[in-house]
Amino acid sequence: MEQAAPDPDRQLQPAPVESLGGPGAVLEAAVGEETEGTREDSAGVHTMTGNDLWLKKIEISVSEAEKRTGRNAVNMQETYTAYLIETRSVERADGQSVLTDSLWRRYSEFELLRNYLLVYYPHVVVPPLPEKRAEFVWHKLSADNMDPDFVERRRIGLENFLLRVASHPVLCRDKIFYLFLTQEGNWKETVNETGFQLKADSRLKALNATFRVKNPDKRFTELKHYSDELQSVISHLLRVRARVADRLYGVYKVHGNYGRVFSEWSAIEKEMGDGLQSAGHHMDVYASSIDDILEDEEHYADQLKEYLFYAEALRAVCRKHELMQYDLETAAQDLASKKQQCEELATGTVRTFSLKGVTTKLFGQESAEQREARVKVLEEQINAGEQQLKSKNLEGREFVKNAWADIERFKEQKNRDLKEALISYAVMQISMCKKGIQVWTNAKECFSKM
Amino acid sequence: MAADLILPNGGTPAGTSSPASSSSLLNRLQLDDDIDGETRDLFVTVDDPKKHVCTMETYITYRITTKSTRVEFDLPEYSVRRRYQDFDWLRNKLEESQPTHLIPPLPEKFVVKGVVDRFSEEFVETRRKALDKFLKRITDHPVLSFNEHFNVFLTAKDLNAYKKQGIALLTRVGESVKHVTGGYKLRSRPLEFAAIGDYLDTFALKLGTIDRIAQRIIKEEIEYLVELREYGPVYSTWSALEGELAEPLEGVSACIGNCSTALEELTDDVTEEFLPVLREYILYSDSMKSVLKKRDQVQAEYEAKLEAVALRKEDRPKVPADVEKCQDRMECFNADLKADMERWQSNKRHDFRQLLVGLADKNIQYYEKCLMAWESIIPLLQEKQETK
């Protein structure tokens, strides 16, 4: 897969070949060595071509989270969480891994990385970050960013993000990404030096384009609708799921009261006492089993959330297309109007409104030299315009081709991942049912001995 | 005195049977009862509820079928129709005529909580079961089952005519207990009755707690059900957006639907079969407490009379007849009550074992239904879709 705008300065060595199985798995990304098939470009950075042999692989993991305090931009004390990113290279032969890099990053640095990728790879469906703040929480779950469970789930989410980027055929080659994993100090400055913030399209511009574009590629329009609906349905699903979890928690916990009352009742019974007492114990077991069950289900919710956020990434690609298309349409329109102006000047007819035309009317005709000068200027502009239009057209077509290729890749990944998520959800439900049967069967045995 | 004359009918016309006949009869029959039902000679069933719409009111009647080889019954089989107020009448009559015995409770007269339709199928069925239980408990009782009012209830074509007659067929004991006055202070309650009293207090308390817990669980389950009913369809909505994922998502939606149905069945079952029995036993405890109070009164009267005699400082050791009567009354009461209590304890144990095993079974069935639903969609989810 080629990039739309290859920039040797940003190319680098790591280039994964295999796609991963599911988030959370430790990815093996291939690291290029100086084997045959590499070439050194003008910037002195190695890049990999598709068919080379890999001798080494790398593993990325976000292994720890730590609370830190520091001073922020306005010199105020703040508490934040830092995450330890470890990169290991793996010898294929014996599977042993050696720690090559290890550094700490906080969430805002991940955000910076992603924003950078969004600007420089607009044709790519850029993997999303885990949520900034806990949302769709059911009541027992904390909405506090410092809560250890939230931090843990975020750690997993961040690891997943890095693995997704590292396994992307285009994104993995990015130098800034490589530096993110390897260069702790000064990385922020390096990113900012790329000037990516300036290159970013303004929101206003994008919005304007969305409304005004006349002939966008139909596939992108459909994709945009799809991503809107996907976002809506997954949000709904997550909201209801949180309520379902809440209610289920209530059902299980109330059963714990049976444990207590059976125990009290057994105290006044003779023959029935033992049976009641032991049955009560099983009710307690039942009541406490829900905590683990719902904790497991949070993993499912996280998988859904990832695709909720992916919908936004899809929309971003569509927006870029609309922007480029609009740009193209505007340039073409501009060119057409200039050509017409030129023609009018040459023939002397004035069909289009121009300031010159008005002033001519008011202040008299211009001389032949003046008119010729203007024609020349216009002709130059027209030439430049035609060149620009050609290159914009080319750019646009390249973009559509590359974007659509990534979208197809994304679709397959999505189908695979969500199927896996549904299967694991079903497995969780099955396990919950089996536990329920077990507990009530045990209780039944106690009751029958009453 | 025909003290040892044991008559087949425990509730004979006043004057001919000895006060102790009830309990000795009980003892004799208890041996028979140990041979599980083989010597049973009376079978009663309540079924076939029917709605009657009249100008003044609408009500339900139930068919009572009786099969018996007892001599007290002219025919081997009877089939009559009775309504709730007839059962209520019967119970009152039994309490009146057999005050030394524990009379089983009836289901509540009025619907206490919720907006339950008293003509709904579920309500009528729940009531029918309770009425059936009521009659069966009487049938199983060696003394109550021979009660004349019970016999009439089971056999008379026109019960209302009989009711109007106002025949007071009280047993001798019944008659005498009826006239026991309150107002005597009890000296000391025999340990066993004190223990029964304490037991019943705690028992009723615990049952009340269990009732509340069960209701709370049902409430939580219903709220859970409400959310599930919204949750399942969202997967369907999603499925409509997708290509390859459409079938898996639709499958999950259907699965959640099945689980919702199973949950609804569970809550209905528990409401209809578990809660009513709990409530019945709470009512039972309450009526038993009143019988215990009555026993206390009988003992108190006896003690007072005895004390009065002692205070008169008479030389004659012979105890006056009325004090003797009091003593008889008390001993009879104690014996009947004790026997009934044992019987009640054993029935209670059986009933609760059945009830709680039933509760566990309902929950197991619920989980099995859900398990089946989820297991059946795993192959669907794992299916490789043909690329279009």
Side-chain angles (χ1 to χ4, degrees), chain A residues 127-189:
Chain A
L129 284 171
E131 55 194 356
K132 200 171 176 96
R133 262 165 287 279
E135 274 181 67
F136 306 111
V137 284
W138 58 283
H139 90 279
K140 258 299 175 165
L141 223 51
S142 176
D144 172 23
N145 278 11
M146 286 292 154
D147 178 74
D149 284 332
F150 177 77
V151 168
E152 173 59 17
R153 293 206 337 275
R154 187 186 253 194
R155 181 194 67 73
I156 294 170
L158 292 174
E159 185 178 276
N160 187 49
F161 168 74
L162 291 179
L163 294 174
R164 292 260 194 226
V165 174
S167 71
H168 192 283
V170 172
L171 298 178
C172 66
R173 296 174 198 240
D174 188 277
K175 183 163 187 178
I176 296 291
F177 173 60
Y178 177 72
L179 293 175
F180 181 86
L181 297 173
T182 57
Q183 180 191 306
E184 185 153 22
N186 229 32
W187 177 80
K188 268 210 277 222
E189 286 73 12

Side-chain angles (χ1 to χ4, degrees), chain A residues 226 229-230 233-234 236-237 240-241 243-244 247-248 250-252 254-255 257-258 260-262 264-265 268-269 271-272 276 286 300 304 414-415 418-419 422-423 425-427 429-430 432-434 436-437 440-441 443-444 447-450, chain B residues 199 202-203 206-207 209-210 213-214 216-217 220-221 223-224 227-228 230-231 234-235 237-238 241-242 244-245 248-249 252 256 274 345 348-349 352-353 356-357 359-361 363-364 367-368 370-371 374-375 377-378 381-385:
Chain A
Y226 169 76
E229 311 223 288
L230 186 71
V233 86
I234 297 184
H236 189 193
L237 194 64
V240 185
R241 193 213 70 91
R243 294 204 304 262
V244 166
R247 293 301 178 194
L248 189 61
V251 170
Y252 270 74
V254 181
H255 278 86
N257 292 328
Y258 271 151
R260 196 187 58 239
V261 76
F262 283 167
E264 291 167 3
W265 182 9
I268 60 166
E269 295 292 342
E271 303 110 339
M272 280 169 52
L276 275 175
Y286 182 72
Y300 173 67
L304 292 180
K414 177 203 81 177
N415 288 337
L418 289 174
K419 247 198 206 169
L422 290 176
I423 290 171
Y425 184 66
V427 167
Q429 300 306 305
I430 287 170
M432 180 172 92
C433 290
K434 286 191 174 158
I437 290 171
W440 280 105
T441 305
K444 180 178 169 180
F447 289 139
S448 62
K449 295 203 181 109
M450 263 167 48
Chain B
Y199 171 81
T202 312
F203 179 70
K206 294 308 149 194
L207 284 194
T209 306
I210 292 173
I213 294 170
R216 175 85 188 277
I217 289 175
E220 296 283 340
E221 282 172 347
E223 287 177 348
Y224 172 51
E227 301 299 348
L228 278 183
E230 189 180 329
Y231 185 52
V234 181
Y235 283 97
T237 308
W238 187 358
L241 299 175
E242 297 287 340
E244 200 180 306
L245 289 176
L249 287 167
V252 170
I256 294 171
F274 182 76
Q345 282 284 13
K348 172 209 81 184
R349 186 178 173 195
F352 274 96
R353 187 190 309 140
L356 291 168
V357 164
L359 178 68
D361 265 336
N363 278 279
I364 291 169
Y367 277 113
E368 281 179 345
C370 292
L371 180 66
W374 285 106
E375 280 183 336
I377 64 153
I378 294 269
L381 293 175
Q382 288 174 329
E383 215 171 65
K384 290 273 177 218
Q385 286 251 294

Side-chain angles (χ1 to χ4, degrees), chain B residues 36-93:
Chain B
D36 252 65
E38 270 177 41
T39 53
R40 214 181 248 269
D41 55 1
L42 175 63
F43 298 88
V44 178
T45 319
V46 178
D47 64 6
D48 191 33
K50 271 198 170 56
K51 194 166 168 185
H52 297 256
V53 184
C54 307
T55 41
M56 293 302 283
E57 55 173 350
T58 305
Y59 59 91
I60 308 262
T61 63
Y62 304 83
R63 179 179 64 189
I64 319 293
T65 313
T66 309
K67 292 194 176 82
S68 180
T69 54
R70 291 187 184 179
V71 294
E72 292 76 19
F73 295 91
D74 296 331
L75 302 172
E77 200 171 316
Y78 290 88
S79 179
V80 297
R81 293 224 136 237
R82 299 285 180 248
R83 55 187 290 192
Y84 183 90
Q85 61 183 220
D86 298 332
F87 284 84
D88 201 30
W89 168 88
L90 172 64
R91 191 172 190 280
N92 289 333
K93 282 293 180 223

